[in-house]
């Protein structure tokens, strides 16, 4: 019975979530599996990956063949590194020291990516906020201009029209 390490899809439409499983290569994608090795959630950036290193290493040492995607996932979490070091005949202490050094470098890369993504998101949010403020100010100016009383133009050097003088007499005034 040939064993494959592959993904088994879970989750709803448009929101995939995968189990990393060891399964008979003849079984269906989401069908029966021998052992669940971990999970893979591709939605967040960076993707969330949880793998049982010992179980995955056990299956690789027993001859299980990973699919292309699972191979890249195992490479990302360091299982392929451990597998290669064991195949080279390194002692357990050497394997563990090399692996720990690799993990520190990998965590530094991941944290750098997270901070870079957070900075880009904050810059984008600031740019959107500035654009919204500019649009809001333009609308407020347009409304203020629309609601302002009309300006009266005063023409200088024009002769003033003289109003006829009316004498107040008792006939014109009413008491």
């Amino acid at each position: 019975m040939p064993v494959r390490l592959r993904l088994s899809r879970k989750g709803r439409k448009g929101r995939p979530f995968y189990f990393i499983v060891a399964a008979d290569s003849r079984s269906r994608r989401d069908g029966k599996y021998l052992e669940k090795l971990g999970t893979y959630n591709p939605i967040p950036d960076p993707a969330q990956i949880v793998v049982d290193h010992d179980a995955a290493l056990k299956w690789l040492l027993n001859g299980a063949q990973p699919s292309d995607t699972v191979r890249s996932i195992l490479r990302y979490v360091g299982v392929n590194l451990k597998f290669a070091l064991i195949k080279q005949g390194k002692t357990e202490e050497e394997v563990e020291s090399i692996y720990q050094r690799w993990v520190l470098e990998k965590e530094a890369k991941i944290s750098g990516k997270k901070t870079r993504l957070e900075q880009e998101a904050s810059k984008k949010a600031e740019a959107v906020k500035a654009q919204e403020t500019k649009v809001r100010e333009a609308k407020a100016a347009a409304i203020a201009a629309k609601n302002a009383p009309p300006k009266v133009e005063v023409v200088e050097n024009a002769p003033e029209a003289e109003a006829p003088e009316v004498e107040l007499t008792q006939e014109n005034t009413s008491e």
Side-chain angles (χ1 to χ4, degrees):
M1 159 174 83
V3 176
R4 297 268 309 175
L5 302 181
R6 62 183 183 195
L7 297 177
S8 175
R9 185 182 165 121
K10 306 294 176 194
R12 63 184 172 89
K13 180 176 162 184
R15 303 285 297 178
F17 184 83
Y18 299 95
F19 287 159
I20 302 169
V21 298
D24 183 3
S25 63
R26 296 169 291 194
S27 66
R28 295 178 296 147
R29 178 191 73 177
D30 299 334
K32 188 174 162 185
Y33 56 86
L34 302 171
E35 185 178 0
K36 179 181 162 189
L37 305 176
T39 60
Y40 169 57
N41 185 2
I43 300 297
D45 191 16
Q48 294 174 342
I49 301 171
V50 177
V51 176
D52 182 359
H53 289 258
D54 297 329
L57 200 54
K58 176 191 83 169
W59 282 105
L60 288 173
L61 290 171
N62 286 332
Q65 295 298 313
S67 67
D68 293 338
T69 307
V70 172
R71 181 178 290 117
S72 62
I73 289 171
L74 294 178
R75 185 179 304 122
Y76 183 81
V77 296
V79 173
N80 276 0
L81 176 66
K82 278 186 174 181
F83 179 66
L85 292 172
I86 290 171
K87 283 292 198 179
Q88 291 175 6
K90 304 277 185 186
T91 63
E92 194 172 320
E93 294 83 24
E94 291 174 324
V95 169
E96 206 49 44
S97 67
I98 293 170
Y99 177 72
Q100 290 304 323
R101 199 169 355 137
W102 179 86
V103 166
L104 291 174
E105 293 171 6
K106 188 69 169 183
E107 286 175 355
K109 278 176 136 177
I110 292 171
S111 65
K113 182 178 181 181
K114 285 181 181 179
T115 56
R116 182 179 49 81
L117 289 172
E118 289 170 358
Q119 289 172 349
E120 288 175 1
S122 66
K123 286 180 183 178
K124 189 175 182 180
E126 289 174 7
V128 167
K129 189 174 182 180
Q131 182 65 24
E132 288 175 353
T133 303
K134 195 181 292 184
V135 168
R136 191 178 325 109
E137 289 172 354
K139 284 182 181 179
I143 291 172
K146 182 179 177 184
N147 293 335
K151 294 183 179 179
V152 177
E153 294 185 25
V154 176
V155 180
E156 293 185 20
N157 298 335
E160 294 183 18
E162 295 183 15
E165 292 184 18
V166 179
E167 289 185 23
L168 294 177
T169 59
Q170 260 186 325
E171 295 172 7
N172 292 341
T173 60
S174 59
E175 293 183 21

